[in-house]
Amino acid sequence: MTLSFSILIPSWNNLPFLKLCVASIRRNSAAQHQIIVHVNDGSDGTLEWVRSEGLDYTHSDHNIGVCLAVNMMRTKVKTDYIFYLNDDMYLLPGWDVALSDEIASLPDCRFFLSGTMIQPHNPLDVGILANYGDTVETFDEERLLREYMSHPMTDWCGATWPPNLVHRDIWDIVGGYSIEYSPGMYSDPDFSAKLYMAGVRHFKGLSACRVYHFETKSTGRVHRNDGHIQFLLKWGMANSFFRKHYTLLGEPYNPNNTQAVKPSNKKQLRCRLKAIAQLLAGKQFGPLDDFFR
């Protein structure tokens, strides 16, 4: 049986992509899912459209970033599973079946799962590079639906970024996304680090759960937080260090090899020294800076 999820979609005046995202959920899902949208600002008609579609939603008069947005949407969740999705993503057939099958194979809810992104320009650390358009106007939907499973990919280690799925009890144990990272840079690896601290070890990316990501880069419109420094000071290690040595990001998934690879004392010391250097330099950052300027 395919499970139902609560799908969280933060959106900031990106209505054409949001419409396509929601259409993909309705067209390509095997089960009925709760769709929750956080409308940041919404001056482009997003708020009216979300209401007209009968979607669950939260709203802020200005852009509050993804951390606060997803935490607000958590208050609307009606299912056991929280699926976080960007508004410029298009879900492909079989996505929810793959996640449901994986959940059924696991002994408990201590897991963090990601889908595999197909992107037109940048496959990141793990992903598929294939161009089906980078705007709504250039999107070749029918060709994508014919070809999306033809791109070779295996399951992989290191689930981090959306699209991702976690049990709501685990979400609540770690307190959701950390709002000190607002508007959101490096909040994804921070969430993974919190899950790791809470005992989660099953960080898995599913090849059969595929999504097309347009890479609209809405983050280019915001004043970015110094997330890499915040992560370093909070966890005593760089984000890249955590992902490589703890979640094994990018490694082919092997059920017998999901535990962290203990880094050398030299590498650990180097991370500590970087954090100390930032502190001695008096590095200033913080989401409240904008409120007190």
Side-chain angles (χ1 to χ4, degrees):
M1 181 183 71
T2 305
L3 298 168
S4 292
F5 308 136
S6 294
I7 304 176
L8 310 186
I9 311 173
S11 188
W12 180 29
N13 292 344
N14 209 22
L15 184 55
F17 282 102
L18 178 62
K19 287 181 176 180
L20 188 60
C21 178
V22 171
S24 76
I25 297 169
R26 291 170 169 169
R27 176 177 183 178
N28 299 326
S29 299
Q32 290 289 114
H33 302 289
Q34 179 191 17
I35 302 173
I36 312 171
V37 178
H38 179 81
V39 181
N40 278 308
D41 183 4
S43 58
D44 66 339
T46 297
L47 185 58
E48 291 76 15
W49 182 80
V50 166
R51 287 170 173 165
S52 71
E53 291 294 306
L55 302 177
D56 291 327
Y57 70 92
T58 56
H59 175 237
S60 57
D61 292 333
H62 61 282
N63 178 32
I64 59 173
V66 297
C67 303
L68 280 167
V70 294
N71 289 346
M72 287 177 67
M73 286 186 282
R74 166 63 185 93
T75 67
K76 301 285 186 178
V77 166
K78 297 175 182 176
T79 75
D80 287 336
Y81 301 96
I82 296 174
F83 186 71
Y84 171 21
L85 185 68
N86 288 342
D87 66 357
D88 63 340
M89 290 179 171
Y90 179 98
L91 290 173
L92 291 158
W95 74 272
D96 52 350
V97 175
L99 288 166
S100 295
D101 289 348
E102 181 68 18
I103 292 169
S105 73
L106 299 174
D108 53 46
C109 65
R110 290 179 296 175
F111 58 78
F112 193 42
L113 306 176
S114 276
T116 296
M117 287 190 287
I118 302 172
Q119 300 197 144
H121 305 300
N122 177 18
L124 299 175
D125 300 284
V126 183
I128 296 168
L129 182 61
N131 194 337
Y132 296 91
D134 54 13
T135 66
V136 172
E137 293 73 24
T138 61
F139 180 43
D140 194 343
E141 182 177 15
E142 296 308 314
R143 183 168 68 89
L144 173 63
L145 289 171
R146 290 195 306 269
E147 298 177 359
Y148 73 97
M149 286 304 294
S150 66
H151 303 286
M153 187 72 183
T154 61
D155 291 344
W156 45 276
C157 294
T160 302
W161 51 75
N164 59 45
L165 182 135
V166 66
H167 194 282
R168 67 178 185 180
D169 290 349
I170 301 298
W171 174 289
D172 291 342
I173 285 172
V174 303
Y177 278 66
S178 299
I179 62 174
E180 66 267 24
Y181 284 85
S182 294
M185 283 69 207
Y186 289 78
S187 59
D188 295 318
D190 176 77
F191 186 68
S192 293
K194 294 200 297 184
L195 293 177
Y196 195 93
M197 178 174 280
V200 174
R201 296 294 182 270
H202 192 77
F203 292 85
K204 184 177 181 181
L206 304 182
S207 170
C209 175
R210 298 196 175 187
V211 57
Y212 190 71
H213 184 212
F214 287 94
E215 301 179 85
T216 59
K217 298 180 176 60
S218 60
T219 54
R221 294 184 277 160
V222 301
H223 175 68
R224 297 187 175 208
N225 57 296
D226 290 328
H228 65 294
I229 302 299
Q230 291 174 271
F231 190 97
L232 176 64
L233 295 178
K234 179 176 181 178
W235 297 105
M237 66 183 76
N239 155 61
S240 57
F241 185 91
F242 168 74
R243 292 188 299 173
K244 177 180 179 180
H245 294 285
Y246 288 85
T247 68
L248 310 180
L249 179 64
E251 301 265 346
Y253 180 77
N254 182 337
N256 299 317
N257 185 27
T258 59
Q259 297 301 311
V261 178
K262 182 173 174 59
S264 67
N265 291 333
K266 183 178 180 180
K267 289 181 179 179
Q268 289 178 313
L269 177 60
R270 189 179 299 121
C271 282
R272 301 299 192 274
L273 291 175
K274 284 182 180 179
I276 292 170
Q278 291 296 330
L279 289 170
L280 293 176
K283 182 67 180 178
Q284 297 296 317
F285 61 84
L288 293 181
D289 289 351
D290 290 337
F291 291 92
F292 296 112
R293 285 178 179 170

